[in-house]
Amino acid sequence: MSILVFIEISEGEIKKTSLEAISYASNIESGVTAIAFGEASEENLKVAGKAGASKVLHVSDDKYNEANIQAYASAIAKAAESEGAETIVLANSSLGDPVAARLSIKMGASLASNVVAAPDTSNGFVVKRSIYTGKAFANVDLTEGKRIIGIKKNAATIKEDGGDPSIETFSPDENADDFKVKVLSQEKASGDVLLPEAEIVVSGGRGLKGPENWGMIEELAKTLGAATACSKPVSDMDWRPHHEHVGQTGIKVAPSLYIAVGISGAIQHLAGVNASKCIVVINKDEEAPFFKAADYGIVGDAFEVVPKLTEAIKAING
Amino acid sequence: MKILVCITHVPDTTSKISFTDNNTKFDKTGVQYIIGPYDDYALARAVELKEQSSGSITVLNVGEAETEPTLRKALAIGADDAIRVNADPVDSFFVANQIANIAKEGNYDLIMMGRESIDFNNGVVHGMVAEILGIPGLSPVMTLDIEGTTAKMTREIEGGKESLEAELPLVLGCQEPIAEWKIPNMRGIMTARSKPLNVVEPSDNSVRTQLNNYEMPAEKGAVKMVDADNVSELVNLLKNEAKVI
């Protein structure tokens, strides 16, 4: 019996969240097979072995270079059948979630996403899910024989002590109906660090007074190797693009460090960042509600504090 | 064009979450319920599309009688009629099955809903519905335009977006900025009272998960304040105490 893990490739490399999914799966059972789509070198695919996969199925046909929800779900279902895999693990993402949904119907499987802990198999197959946008958890029993688990970012520690996996080309049966959606173009943010993947996020709010003041946010982010983000009013006013908007209806992030500058901390904003490991709040209003959710806080003028913070970080980095 | 908009009836984002009955039931005491914020975007875009090219909007909720004010609000915003599947939405698979069965009967061109509900946060119902119906499903959709029988969309991807095109019928999980939320006006509120709200019993009671209990997250420790004139102390704490830089 094996567990199959759907791994996502970005710029030819396995995404960090997918390595987390492999490590999560290898804690359930030792026979982990990963399935990857699109352009990736054998060397890069072998990284899955370190995280705990013993085999990687590679769907390398050019047709699969575009992330196609239906075609990926069909191929994964086929791979699960040929591998005898009854459990599929994947990382929650804008691709992983819809793929998981289709797959669960194809396989007749139970499904849980936003899973944050290893399953408890002492009585059934119980996973802990994040619900109410991080305000609570639900312990849910996946009652079908087959199951699909979507894991939340940072819910598993990436293993690095695994071995050398075999890499096999996998050719799923193609169904013309799976290729009815045409991808016309893609537009990716030009920043070095993508927000959903970032370990550190520096985020600005209305307190920055205008888009012309974002230079200091970008400078701090650059110094930390961080992504930049913003609150909803900021993207609504077009100071920053929508894909930087963090919150209940924007991107939800779970970095190790989230630095909020000039953001008061409306509950809708907190819903997008409450999975962060450490939150720093810089705000001149000492009554800002965000301080209650923060680990560290500074009451002060962002225009004075942020440049000083950037300099202090540069100093320790030498 | 016939559009089916599926809405959730969820606690307002600002609601305090708590549980009763040994952490097995959600405590509804004092909780204000709203249309799911992402569903509100789907509904708003559906209303705009109807205004542009005529057609009809049916709004659907899987829920017990208490969700009817939420459905009436959707009617006030611009839906033409409503269907309530009279059941507790216990599981994504259960909800997807109800929606798919209604969709099969109604022969809709577009089935729209939010990318996820803000209570259970599974974010998979639209994909399940699409697979049950055997048609394309896309999420999270940020823009949508219809030209004849072709839908042109942008979908969020990690760190950006992609432009897509597909033929109707489609199932879409929506999010901003697909449309601005609409607030019902007085005329909408008055006419909503007389619009049809049909209650149907669930067509299939299958579930694939069982909720055991709920848990609250561990209490957060108190914030540690650092003097604005001593920023290097913050850097020291982040490096040596939190170990995040």
Side-chain angles (χ1 to χ4, degrees):
Chain A
M1 199 63 72
S2 75
I3 293 187
L4 186 63
V5 181
F6 165 43
I7 56 175
E8 293 182 53
I9 305 291
S10 175
E11 310 285 325
E13 291 186 17
I14 301 171
K15 284 168 63 171
K16 179 175 169 280
T17 47
S18 293
L19 294 174
E20 289 172 357
I22 294 170
S23 299
Y24 180 95
S26 71
N27 286 335
I28 303 173
E29 261 177 47
S30 54
V32 174
T33 300
I35 181 165
F37 297 81
E39 291 175 88
S41 68
E42 192 164 313
E43 188 191 349
N44 284 348
L45 291 174
K46 290 223 176 216
V47 176
K50 276 186 163 183
S54 51
K55 178 156 71 170
V56 180
L57 302 177
H58 187 203
V59 184
S60 56
D61 188 312
D62 290 350
K63 263 191 153 173
Y64 291 85
N65 287 352
E66 282 171 359
N68 180 321
I69 294 162
Q70 276 177 280
Y72 280 25
S74 294
I76 297 166
K78 183 80 186 165
E81 192 186 330
S82 68
E83 292 294 310
E86 293 190 332
T87 303
I88 313 282
V89 176
L90 43 76
N92 288 130
S93 72
S94 65
L95 177 62
D97 296 348
V99 166
R102 296 199 84 111
L103 198 52
S104 74
I105 300 298
K106 283 181 190 292
M107 293 177 63
S110 294
L111 184 159
S113 65
N114 286 320
V115 169
V116 296
D120 176 358
T121 53
S122 58
N123 184 15
F125 194 102
V126 179
V127 292
K128 183 172 172 177
R129 299 188 56 233
S130 171
I131 56 168
Y132 293 104
T133 323
K135 286 193 267 188
F137 299 105
N139 291 308
V140 177
D141 193 357
L142 305 184
T143 50
E144 300 294 311
K146 293 178 181 176
R147 48 192 86 86
I148 298 169
I149 306 168
I151 66 158
K152 202 173 163 88
K153 191 187 165 197
N154 282 335
T157 307
I158 298 173
K159 294 181 181 174
E160 289 187 353
D161 57 355
D164 202 17
S166 61
I167 312 281
E168 294 176 14
T169 299
F170 184 74
S171 302
D173 301 332
E174 284 175 21
N175 176 351
D177 280 351
D178 285 344
F179 292 88
K180 282 186 168 171
V181 177
K182 285 184 215 145
V183 177
L184 305 175
S185 63
Q186 276 196 352
E187 199 180 305
K188 284 209 171 182
S190 53
D192 294 334
V193 186
L194 292 177
L195 178 57
E197 306 280 301
E199 276 302 303
I200 303 179
V201 174
V202 180
S203 191
R206 261 186 301 197
L208 287 162
K209 294 182 178 152
E212 66 280 7
N213 296 324
W214 240 261
M216 65 180 188
I217 295 288
E218 284 164 345
E219 178 73 13
L220 175 57
K222 196 174 154 196
T223 307
L224 286 163
T228 55
C230 68
S231 63
K232 187 172 189 309
V234 165
S235 75
D236 284 350
M237 290 184 286
D238 282 334
W239 292 2
R240 300 297 291 177
H242 173 263
H243 65 250
E244 287 197 2
H245 160 207
V246 167
Q248 170 79 70
T249 55
I251 309 268
K252 295 187 188 74
V253 294
S256 298
L257 173 59
Y258 185 80
I259 303 178
V261 182
I263 301 175
S264 62
I267 202 153
Q268 290 86 348
H269 186 77
L270 292 181
V273 306
N274 57 16
S276 307
K277 277 187 195 156
C278 177
I279 296 176
V280 172
V281 169
I282 299 166
N283 203 301
K284 68 179 180 187
D285 175 10
E286 62 183 60
E287 300 293 320
F290 215 158
F291 283 119
K292 288 190 183 131
D295 297 281
Y296 303 104
I298 291 182
V299 177
D301 184 344
F303 296 93
E304 289 171 17
V305 175
V306 173
K308 277 195 221 165
L309 183 56
T310 305
E311 289 312 310
I313 290 161
K314 279 182 184 165
I316 61 154
N317 288 344
Chain B
M1 186 160 58
K2 282 186 77 178
I3 306 175
L4 180 67
V5 179
C6 310
I7 61 166
T8 52
H9 166 85
V10 292
D12 186 296
T13 318
T14 56
S15 303
K16 194 174 184 313
I17 303 299
S18 61
F19 304 102
T20 60
D21 293 26
N22 206 17
N23 283 333
T24 57
K25 288 204 172 80
F26 179 73
D27 186 358
K28 296 176 180 174
T29 314
V31 171
Q32 175 81 29
Y33 281 82
I34 56 168
I35 299 174
Y38 296 107
D39 308 320
D40 237 339
Y41 286 114
L43 178 60
R45 187 62 189 139
V47 171
E48 290 172 355
L49 290 172
K50 187 188 139 186
E51 284 167 357
Q52 285 165 17
S53 65
S54 78
S56 67
I57 300 170
T58 298
V59 64
L60 168 65
N61 171 256
V62 180
E64 292 170 331
E66 65 194 17
T67 75
E68 290 195 1
T70 303
L71 275 168
R72 288 280 174 210
K73 187 182 173 198
L75 290 169
I77 287 170
D80 299 284
D81 60 348
I83 301 171
R84 178 172 69 80
V85 178
N86 185 31
D88 184 16
V90 284
D91 164 274
S92 298
F93 177 70
F94 174 82
V95 173
N97 252 336
Q98 307 312 321
I99 295 171
N101 284 328
I102 300 281
K104 275 179 204 162
E105 285 173 22
N107 204 22
Y108 296 94
D109 300 297
L110 262 179
I111 300 156
M112 300 171 75
M113 63 191 86
R115 65 176 292 177
E116 64 177 334
S117 68
I118 63 162
D119 48 5
F120 296 117
N121 298 116
N122 248 334
V124 293
V125 168
H126 39 74
M128 287 179 167
V129 171
E131 182 64 31
I132 295 168
L133 296 175
I135 59 176
L138 290 164
S139 176
V141 175
M142 301 166 73
T143 66
L144 166 68
D145 287 291
I146 307 288
E147 291 171 15
T149 58
T150 306
K152 290 181 183 285
M153 296 152 285
T154 53
R155 187 179 85 88
E156 185 182 298
I157 55 173
E158 264 67 38
K161 59 187 177 183
E162 64 184 9
S163 300
L164 303 147
E165 190 179 284
E167 290 296 298
L168 302 177
L170 291 172
V171 182
L172 306 179
C174 304
Q175 70 168 42
E176 66 175 346
I178 194 163
E180 292 273 335
W181 284 347
K182 298 197 185 313
I183 298 163
N185 57 28
M186 189 50 74
R187 188 171 171 274
I189 292 166
M190 297 305 284
T191 55
R193 290 181 189 169
S194 56
K195 288 179 179 175
L197 193 164
N198 301 309
V199 180
V200 299
E201 292 305 312
S203 45
D204 180 342
N205 286 315
S206 312
V207 294
R208 289 184 179 169
T209 59
Q210 175 73 47
L211 174 80
N212 283 4
N213 62 332
Y214 297 106
E215 269 179 50
M216 294 302 287
E219 291 275 330
K220 186 139 186 122
V223 59
K224 198 174 269 188
M225 298 305 290
V226 176
D227 194 287
D229 294 324
N230 194 10
V231 169
S232 55
E233 173 61 11
L234 175 64
V235 177
N236 176 38
L237 289 166
L238 293 176
K239 189 174 172 67
N240 299 313
E241 186 176 82
K243 300 188 195 305
V244 287
I245 59 171

